[in-house]
Amino acid sequence: MTPEIKKQAVLTLYQQGQPYAEIAESLLMSKNTVKSICRRSGLKPLPMKDTDVAVCKNCGKPLVQTSGGRKRIFCCDQCRYAWWNHSRHKQPYILTCRQCGEKFISFGNKNRRYCGRDCYNLSRYGEGLP
């Protein structure tokens, strides 16, 4: 197939409602190439179908997606925290703060020097901070 014929095939399939991945697979193209062709031709992304309901990664509740914003993954902060605490696999390190001498836990980063922003600021700028 020539590039122009492939382009017309992509546009036809997209206007029929097929998603990028299916078009790319059927025409042996990259998904990103299909997206580029559609975007350059001025086609708007297809609206989400009712069957494409996103669910919370932690509890499985349906999520309400707002237009123009970032795609939601969790229904609330509690689910986000619970998922993070359950699924993180990084090793915890017990370190000592250079400023206050308190012990603190750092996940996945053994090079941290301070327990928090306050100690960092005190160490860097001294006692004259507001």
Side-chain angles (χ1 to χ4, degrees), residues 69-85:
R70 177 186 248 180
K71 187 176 135 184
R72 295 187 71 184
I73 300 173
F74 302 103
C75 61
C76 59
D77 285 339
Q78 288 81 13
C79 279
R80 183 167 51 92
Y81 297 146
W83 181 85
W84 169 252
N85 288 329

Side-chain angles (χ1 to χ4, degrees), residues 59-74:
C59 68
K61 287 184 188 174
L63 297 174
V64 177
Q65 301 291 346
T66 57
S67 63
R70 177 186 248 180
K71 187 176 135 184
R72 295 187 71 184
I73 300 173
F74 302 103

Side-chain angles (χ1 to χ4, degrees), residues 48-105:
M48 277 182 60
K49 299 176 185 172
D50 292 336
T51 58
D52 295 341
V53 176
V55 293
C56 177
K57 258 183 153 179
N58 189 51
C59 68
K61 287 184 188 174
L63 297 174
V64 177
Q65 301 291 346
T66 57
S67 63
R70 177 186 248 180
K71 187 176 135 184
R72 295 187 71 184
I73 300 173
F74 302 103
C75 61
C76 59
D77 285 339
Q78 288 81 13
C79 279
R80 183 167 51 92
Y81 297 146
W83 181 85
W84 169 252
N85 288 329
H86 179 267
S87 64
R88 67 177 162 205
H89 301 290
K90 294 186 175 182
Q91 180 179 357
Y93 295 101
I94 299 173
L95 305 171
T96 304
C97 178
R98 285 188 179 178
Q99 177 63 27
C100 66
E102 295 283 325
K103 295 221 181 270
F104 66 96
I105 297 175

